[in-house]
Every structure is written in C-alpha cells, then in structure tokens.
Amino acid sequence: MGSIAGVWLAIVAVVVAVGWLLTHPLDGSVGETDNDISRWFADQRTSSLSDLADAGTLLGETIVELVVAPVVAIAVSVWKRSWVPGLFVLLVTAGIGGFYYLGTSLDPRDRPPVKILDPGLVPTHSFPSGHVGTSLALYGSIVVLVWVYLRAARWWIAPLALLPVLVMLARLYQGAHHLTDVLTSLGYGGVWLAALTVLLFRGHARAAKVTPDPA
C-alpha cells in the first residue's frame, strides 16, 4: 500500500502543478488558445449534436459511477472469491475523485467564455474535468477487470475504453471545460489506472503465464 500511496501523491503533485501553470504563468498564452478552441466547439452546436452531448455527459455523471462501480466490484470479487477486484475499483474511484477535489480546490479556473449548456456548474471549477475522470475510472476499471479475469471477452469489452473520449468531447462541446482541463483528467486518470493495474494484478499475470487459460 505504501507504493500505491506514493504514486497517488506523485500524481497529485503533478496535477496541482499543471493547474497552477495554467492559471498563472500560462494563463495568457495557453489560456487564450483554450478559449479559441472552446469558441470553435460552441460554433459547431446543433440540436442533434446537443442531444448527443447530453448523452455523453450522462456517461460521466457521478451517480452512474456510484451505481455501477459497486455492482461491478462486488460481482467480480464474489465470482473470483478475492478482495482484490473490489479494492481495485475502490482505489481507482477514490483516487481519481481525490485528484479532482484537490485540483478544483487548489487551482480554481474559470469556465470557458462561451454559453455553457450544462447549467448549475461551479464557475471556477473548470480544472480538471470531473466527468472525464469519473468515466475513465468506471469504464477503465471494467476493461481492466475483464482483461485480467475474462480473457475470452477482452476484445468485446475493449470499446468501453473509448467512452471517456466521448465524454471529453461532450464536455468540450457543452463549454464546461477547456481542452487542457479534459486532457489533464485523461492523463492523471490513465496513469492512476495503469499504476493500480500493475501494482495489484502483476501476481495474477505471473500466474497466468504458468497456467495458460484455455479460453
């Protein structure tokens, strides 16, 4: 657990540093480019695309993760008679939630200067994107668990890995975040997911090499 905590703290430091750079020394350069990109997405709006963006945003809602993630964690843990899958989902979810909380608290950033199609958002919580991080935690966890425990279904479940990208595009389209906000969430979410996969499942990978799966 010490290694896991160390990785988490290292990612936190990077996230906070990136947020500080975007809101201070890079605000006038990268910030202006971010604003131009947000205006471009706003110019592409149509009623049909707005409906698709609403669906994409729903995929990254916290309530979806809070309902689906525990079911997946419990089901796989019971099936494999192991606490590791449940711990994995818990750590992925809590870790990514922590990155988001600290990022929004320590690096407040204004939303893009366009009409925001998702009402009720905190104006200074643009950095990072909670929806993108949440979707990566949920669908990434499912992909990893299937990849580790159900090898025959690996390629069937792989398209789930694309859902966070759809959520990212939806949030950009709705004007909820800048490009650098959503890319930061993809970055820390991906690194955290990969780190936990290695730290918690490397023993399983070694066992699989010794005993090949007939599937």
Side-chain angles (χ1 to χ4, degrees), residues 49-201:
L49 287 177
S50 294
D51 290 339
L52 290 175
D54 288 341
T57 289
L58 179 62
L59 292 173
E61 292 284 359
T62 301
I63 186 62
V64 174
E65 182 185 34
L66 292 179
V67 170
V68 178
V71 173
V72 171
I74 294 171
V76 178
S77 291
V78 171
W79 171 44
K80 301 308 297 184
R81 297 181 181 180
S82 171
W83 52 267
V84 175
L87 178 64
F88 172 73
V89 174
L90 175 63
L91 289 175
V92 170
T93 302
I96 287 181
F99 301 141
Y100 169 75
Y101 174 78
L102 290 173
T104 55
S105 299
L106 299 178
D107 297 312
R109 189 185 193 191
D110 291 338
R111 303 279 180 180
V114 298
K115 181 180 179 181
I116 298 174
L117 302 184
D118 186 3
L121 299 178
V122 179
T124 57
H125 281 192
S126 185
F127 178 87
S129 170
H131 280 76
V132 173
T134 295
S135 64
L136 192 55
L138 176 58
Y139 307 115
S141 294
I142 295 174
V143 169
V144 169
L145 290 175
V146 171
W147 204 262
V148 171
Y149 293 116
L150 197 60
R151 298 175 67 188
R154 283 179 173 181
W155 298 111
W156 292 99
I157 205 71
L160 280 182
L162 297 176
L163 293 184
V165 177
L166 296 180
V167 174
M168 179 190 77
L169 293 174
R171 301 308 280 166
L172 289 171
Y173 176 91
Q174 292 184 323
H177 299 284
H178 301 92
L179 178 62
T180 49
D181 301 327
V182 295
L183 290 180
T184 298
S185 293
L186 280 180
Y188 69 62
V191 171
W192 180 237
L193 191 68
L196 288 177
T197 300
V198 171
L199 292 172
L200 292 178
F201 294 119

